[in-house]
Amino acid sequence: MKVAFFYGKQPQSFLAWLFTRSSCYHVGFTDESRLWDMNWIRRRRIWNPSVPMQEILVDCPVPVPVTFLEIQLETDGSHYGVLDYLAFVLRRFFRRLRFNGKGLICSEMVLNDLKACGWEPPAWMPEVPSPGDLELALLGTRNAIAGFELRVQD
């Protein structure tokens, strides 16, 4: 199982970069044939990479079984966290802001699922991380697509 980081869709990538310093606007899990992510509710869809070089896949830091994701899909009644998403705007100006609007956004879903499978996130990780926060934890940098594109062009 891999964590998929998504970039390039406008205006989402620009807004994500503006408020989190990463153009990663979405994150989910993939086995490279299916994608599990958070839209208005949890969903599973056929994996269909949009544009080459617009996704980065990284191995999950702990095993995340398909059966676990399927059970989550069937039993998790969470809805999308619009207030959590808006909190990123405020976090840009109030660094210590720790707000959980009790909904679920894509990066929070991935964090919760990784933790449920045994991953211990870094101590600095917010309760409701941005996709850029997960990038930093799993890839070691924010806006990893910029460095990836540079390496590929060399």
Side-chain angles (χ1 to χ4, degrees):
M1 190 64 61
K2 297 182 183 297
V3 175
F5 294 96
F6 295 85
Y7 307 82
K9 186 175 180 182
Q10 297 303 336
Q12 293 92 324
S13 278
F14 173 74
L15 292 172
W17 180 85
L18 191 62
F19 295 111
T20 69
R21 293 298 181 229
S22 171
S23 61
C24 181
Y25 69 90
H26 191 59
V27 62
F29 292 103
T30 185
D31 61 3
E32 297 187 67
S33 66
R34 294 165 290 187
L35 173 70
W36 292 264
D37 66 350
M38 185 72 184
N39 194 0
W40 290 107
I41 59 173
R42 273 187 188 259
R43 67 181 177 176
R44 177 193 59 240
R45 54 193 176 142
I46 295 172
W47 171 253
N48 184 14
S50 55
V51 177
M53 309 276 298
Q54 296 299 295
E55 296 94 16
I56 292 178
L57 304 181
V58 60
D59 288 330
C60 289
V62 293
V64 178
V66 168
T67 53
F68 170 80
L69 293 174
E70 289 296 314
I71 289 169
Q72 291 295 93
L73 186 65
E74 296 288 332
T75 61
D76 186 356
S78 299
H79 61 280
Y80 190 77
V82 175
L83 293 177
D84 294 307
Y85 190 78
L86 295 175
F88 292 126
V89 174
L90 296 175
R91 195 186 303 165
R92 175 88 165 98
F93 302 103
F94 303 99
R95 299 256 185 238
R96 296 186 188 273
L97 177 70
R98 295 293 184 250
F99 175 80
N100 188 337
K102 303 304 179 200
L104 200 64
I105 60 173
C106 61
S107 46
E108 184 181 13
M109 181 205 80
V110 169
L111 174 65
N112 291 346
D113 288 355
L114 288 173
K115 286 170 42 176
C117 290
W119 186 56
E120 188 65 37
W124 56 261
M125 181 73 72
E127 180 183 358
V128 181
S130 69
D133 293 329
L134 284 176
E135 257 187 320
L136 184 57
L138 297 178
L139 296 169
T141 187
R142 285 187 188 275
N143 205 35
I145 195 74
F148 184 77
E149 287 171 348
L150 289 175
R151 284 194 303 273
V152 171
Q153 291 174 1
D154 289 343

